[in-house]
Amino acid sequence: MRDAERQATLDAIGAEVAACTRCRLHEGRTRAVPGEGTAATEVVFVGEGPGFNEDRQGRPFVGQAGSLLDELLASVLWSRDEVFITNVVKCRPPGNRDPEPDEIAACAPHLTRQLEVLDPALVVTLGRFSMARFSPGARIGQVHGTFRAADAASGAPNALTFAMYHPAAALHQGSLKQTLFADMQGVPRALTEARALRAGDRAPEEPSATIVTVPSPVAADPPAVTPDPEAAPDTTADAGVEFNPTAQLGLF
Ligand code: URA
C-alpha cells in the first residue's frame, strides 16, 4: 500500500472513530481521539485512553503525559512526527478512570484496523492496558524495557512489541521517570531488531530479549518516514513504484 493510500485509510478510520457509538464512552466525550502521526512510519506508540486535554483537542498525548512522551522521544532523537501515536480506547473514560474490559473490546476493531494499515515493525506499549493487548499475561514490572514478538491477535502479527510504563505513572511516582528514560534508550535497538526480523536475518528471540540500555542515542536510526511528496518531490523515483524506506536505509 502506498503511503497516500495508508493515510487516506487512516483518515477514514478516524472519521468512523469520531462517529462511533459502540460503547458508553461516546456519551461523555467532547471529541474522540483516533490517533495521529505519519502513515509512513515503522513505529506505533499505543497508550491507554484520552485524558482531559486530549478529549478537548481530539489529539493523543497533548497534556502533561504528552509532554513527557515528547521528552522521551527527544531523548533518542526522535519526534512525534516520525511515529504514529494512538490509544487502546479512543474516547475519554470519565474522570480518567481505567477503561473497562467491555469498552476495550468495543474499541479494539479500530486499533486493529489502524495496525493493519500501518503494519508497524515495532509497537511501543505505554502502560499495562496497552501491554495486555500485545503481550497477554505479561506483567509490566517484569517486562518493561524489553521486547518480544507481538501477539498475533493484536493486529500487528509481524511486529515486535516493546513495553514501557505509562508516562502518566511517572507524573504520580517520580522514581518511574528515570526508569522510563532508561527504558526508552532500548527502543531504537528494538526497532533495529524488528527490521532484521522482517528481513529474515534472524529467528524471533524467545520469549523476550532484554534490552541493554545504550548510554548515547546519537547513532540511533530514526524510524523510517518517507518524504512528503508535496514538500520534496522525488524526481528519482520511478512513477508507479512504491518507495521503500528500508531499502533507503540499506537495512534490507
Ligand atoms: N494518556 C493516554 O493513555 N493517552 C493519551 O492520549 C493521553 C494520556
Side-chain angles (χ1 to χ4, degrees), residues 3-4 7 38-40 81 224-235 243 248:
D3 292 336
Q7 190 58 62
T38 173
D81 302 340
V225 177
T226 52
D228 176 356
E230 297 288 313
D234 181 0
T235 51
F243 179 73
Q248 187 195 34

Side-chain angles (χ1 to χ4, degrees), residues 31 33 35-36 49-70 80 85 87 166-167 171:
R31 297 180 66 175
V33 183
E36 68 180 24
F52 178 86
N53 293 291
E54 291 78 17
D55 173 71
R56 290 291 156 104
Q57 296 185 38
R59 297 181 55 212
F61 283 96
V62 289
Q64 272 187 295
S67 301
L68 183 51
L69 178 57
D70 288 343
R80 60 197 289 157
I85 303 172
N87 284 303
H166 195 289
L171 301 174

Side-chain angles (χ1 to χ4, degrees), residues 99-165:
E100 303 282 352
D102 64 324
E103 295 160 354
I104 294 173
C107 212
H110 296 311
L111 180 53
T112 299
R113 286 176 59 214
Q114 288 174 318
L115 293 166
E116 284 168 357
V117 172
L118 289 161
D119 186 25
L122 183 67
V123 176
V124 181
T125 61
L126 302 171
R128 61 198 166 91
F129 289 96
S130 172
M131 183 198 66
R133 178 181 176 119
F134 298 91
S135 303
R139 297 180 60 179
I140 190 107
Q142 288 171 351
V143 302
H144 73 90
T146 70
F147 61 84
R148 67 208 60 241
D151 185 68
S154 67
N158 303 314
L160 291 183
T161 184
F162 186 97
M164 291 185 64
Y165 283 107

